[in-house]
Amino acid sequence: MIEQETIEQETIEQETVVTGSLAFISRLCDADLAALTKRWHERSYRHNELIISHGDTGRDVFFLLEGRARVTLVSADGREIAYRDVEPGDIFGELGGIDGIARSASVVALEATRAARLSGTAFRDIVMTHPTFAWVLLEHLSAQLRRMTERVFEYSTLVVRKRLIVELLHRAEKAALVDGEVSISPAPTHSELAAMMSTHREAVSREMSDLAKRGLIEKRGSRLLLHDVSALRALVDKKE
C-alpha cells in the first residue's frame, strides 16, 4: 500500500511539473475560463504596437490569444533589454493588477497580435472567488521568479558565449525536431538575442559565427538548427 501511494504521489508530482510548463490559459478549469471570457475585452494589435507602456499606471491584466509579444525596457543609451517573450495563452501585466504600482516594463507586439484585456477590478474579483485560478497564478509567478533568479545568476557568472548558449538551449526546449535536430523557427536575430542577454549585437554576432564554424549551429533559411545540443551544454559546463 505504501509503495502504491508513493508511486501515485510521484505521478502527481510529475504531472504538476509538466502542467507548470504549459501556457497559463490552458491550465485553467472551465469555470475559471468562463469567468474570464465573460469579463474581458479582446483587441488586435499591429506589429511593433505597444500593448503596455513602461510607467503606465493602469491595473488591467492581459492574456495573449494570438501572435507574440515581448516584455522589454529601453536603457538611457537606447539599448533594448528584453525580459521575456509572451506566447499565446500567456498572462502579462499581472503585477500591476496585484500591487497597483506603475508598469515596470513595456510589452510590444512582435507581429499581428490579439489580446484580451481584463480590468484590475475584475482580476481581483476572480482571484478572490476562484481558488484554482489563484493557484495557477501563484505557479506562474513562481516560475517567473525562478527564471529571473536564473538570469541574474547567468549575468553574474557567465561570459557572453555561455550566456548565448544558455539562451539558445532555453529556446530549444520549445523548438521542434527536424530530422533529429533542434530547429528554432523563426531564427532569432542577433539584435533579439543581444536584448535577451543584456549585451551588444556585435558580441552575439561574433559568438554565433564561432559556433557555426564549429559546426554546432547552422542558419538555414528562416530556421536556426542546433546540430549538437549535448556539445553546446558541454561548452556551458566547461571551466574557462
Side-chain angles (χ1 to χ4, degrees):
M1 176 65 69
I2 294 177
E3 182 178 354
Q4 179 63 29
E5 290 177 351
T6 300
I7 293 174
E8 291 177 353
Q9 180 62 31
E10 289 177 350
T11 301
I12 293 172
E13 291 175 353
Q14 289 172 356
E15 290 177 350
T16 300
V17 171
V18 173
T19 301
S21 67
L22 298 176
F24 186 91
I25 290 178
S26 68
R27 290 148 56 194
L28 299 177
C29 67
D30 291 342
D32 293 342
L33 189 56
L36 287 175
T37 56
K38 183 179 179 180
R39 301 183 70 175
W40 73 24
H41 301 280
E42 298 181 17
R43 181 192 156 181
S44 296
Y45 297 86
R46 301 182 305 275
H47 176 222
N48 281 335
E49 184 175 359
L50 272 178
I51 303 175
I52 291 177
S53 179
H54 174 231
D56 178 29
T57 57
R59 302 185 67 174
D60 293 352
V61 178
F62 296 77
F63 302 83
L64 198 70
L65 303 179
E66 294 177 358
R68 291 187 307 132
R70 178 164 295 152
V71 183
T72 183
L73 272 176
V74 177
S75 66
D77 62 359
R79 184 159 58 94
E80 181 187 18
I81 307 296
Y83 289 94
R84 70 181 178 101
D85 283 354
V86 184
E87 304 289 344
D90 283 346
I91 185 175
F92 60 100
E94 69 280 7
L95 295 185
I98 293 171
D99 60 24
I101 298 175
R103 306 291 189 181
S104 57
S106 296
V107 180
V108 61
L110 296 178
E111 56 191 47
T113 295
R114 186 166 60 92
R117 184 171 189 158
L118 184 71
S119 73
T121 299
F123 174 69
R124 290 191 296 277
D125 287 347
I126 292 174
V127 169
M128 297 295 292
T129 58
H130 290 73
T132 52
F133 176 89
W135 185 256
V136 172
L137 180 64
L138 285 174
E139 289 181 330
H140 162 76
L141 293 173
S142 175
Q144 293 303 312
L145 180 58
R146 288 180 184 277
R147 178 61 187 131
M148 285 296 180
T149 301
E150 290 174 0
R151 292 190 69 178
V152 169
F153 176 79
E154 291 164 7
Y155 295 159
S156 302
T157 63
L158 302 181
V159 297
V160 171
R161 180 190 313 109
K162 292 188 176 184
R163 296 212 308 270
L164 170 62
I165 295 173
V166 168
E167 177 63 28
L168 293 178
L169 291 175
H170 280 309
R171 291 170 182 261
E173 293 173 359
K174 300 179 180 180
L177 286 177
V178 177
D179 296 329
E181 294 182 323
V182 173
S183 175
I184 301 175
S185 181
T189 66
H190 293 185
S191 295
E192 178 184 343
L193 289 169
M196 295 298 293
M197 296 163 49
S198 189
T199 188
H200 298 282
R201 181 183 60 80
E202 293 77 11
V204 171
S205 297
R206 182 170 58 252
E207 297 299 340
M208 289 286 283
S209 177
D210 181 67
L211 292 176
K213 289 177 180 177
R214 297 188 186 199
L216 298 177
I217 66 173
E218 178 188 352
K219 177 72 174 357
R220 187 180 298 173
S222 62
R223 298 179 295 149
L224 178 66
L225 299 180
L226 306 189
H227 292 310
D228 193 335
V229 171
S230 296
L232 289 170
R233 289 199 183 102
L235 285 177
V236 175
D237 297 335
K238 182 180 178 182
K239 294 183 178 180
E240 297 292 337

